[in-house]
Amino acid sequence: MTMDLGLLILQLVVGLLMMGHGAQKLFGWFGGHGLRATADWLAGMGIRAPRFWALMTGLAEFGGGLLFALGFFHPLGSLAIIAVMIAAIALIHRSHGLWIGNGGSEYNIVLLVLAAVMGLWEPGAYTLDRLLGLALPQPQTFWVGLILVLVGLAFALLSRQPRTTMAAASGAGQAAH
């Protein structure tokens, strides 16, 4: 019972915070900038189809956080969190080193590992899956989902626009102002 209560607290805290982070991107809530600004930000990093990826990022954070918090359709919430943490590390934090004080990936790695461990475990007693008697095939769902996440991220990251194109577009945009 103590373990299940601990898992519930972990699920709620991480899941609700992730939902809030997604709400910043999707709706501009909690000091966020909304979908349009998120798409512009991704475009500035050379991401092709930035509006699509802004929407996917926001949905992965908000929806994945919701699934994670509720323990619903386990391990899909964990996989969504893993996806956005890998993307955040690759696109933003990796170039700043490990430690968060320098803008590094320390915090993202903690969330990634936490989501992976939770995704590999069976749902705790205080989850919607247990309450409703739902169970996706374990551990196959996690491993197949992880492969799909990695393929999708590789596609998004490897299809980025070359830096020279980004620099020229940025310069052209500045000249127009």
Side-chain angles (χ1 to χ4, degrees):
M1 179 165 153
T2 304
M3 176 70 107
D4 287 316
L5 183 58
L7 289 174
L8 175 63
I9 293 167
L10 190 64
Q11 284 172 218
L12 288 173
V13 170
V14 172
L16 292 174
L17 287 171
M18 194 56 70
M19 284 179 67
H21 203 65
Q24 289 178 316
K25 287 180 178 68
L26 291 172
F27 315 119
W29 297 352
F30 311 117
H33 300 289
L35 195 56
R36 183 181 308 248
T38 301
D40 291 345
W41 177 62
L42 290 173
M45 288 187 275
I47 298 295
R48 295 180 193 268
R51 184 151 174 90
F52 170 78
W53 288 111
L55 180 62
M56 291 298 101
T57 300
L59 289 174
E61 290 175 350
F62 189 84
L66 178 63
L67 294 176
F68 193 87
L70 297 175
F72 193 47
F73 291 123
H74 177 80
L76 299 184
S78 292
L79 290 165
I81 293 170
I82 290 168
V84 294
M85 289 305 108
I86 291 172
I89 291 167
L91 288 171
I92 303 156
H93 301 286
R94 181 177 47 110
S95 64
H96 300 286
L98 178 62
W99 304 113
I100 197 168
N102 298 324
S105 56
E106 167 190 7
Y107 178 67
N108 304 96
I109 292 170
V110 170
L111 287 175
L112 187 147
V113 170
L114 178 119
V117 169
M118 291 291 287
L120 287 167
W121 282 348
E122 291 190 16
Y126 306 119
T127 63
L128 278 183
D129 281 356
R130 288 286 171 100
L131 178 69
L132 300 173
L134 298 173
L136 296 176
Q138 295 295 329
Q140 299 90 336
T141 302
F142 179 83
W143 293 113
V144 169
L146 184 60
I147 290 167
L148 293 173
V149 161
L150 294 174
V151 167
L153 286 170
F155 175 76
L157 296 173
L158 294 174
S159 69
R160 289 172 60 192
Q161 295 175 1
R163 291 281 183 202
T164 54
T165 305
M166 288 172 40
S170 176
Q174 289 175 353
H177 285 91

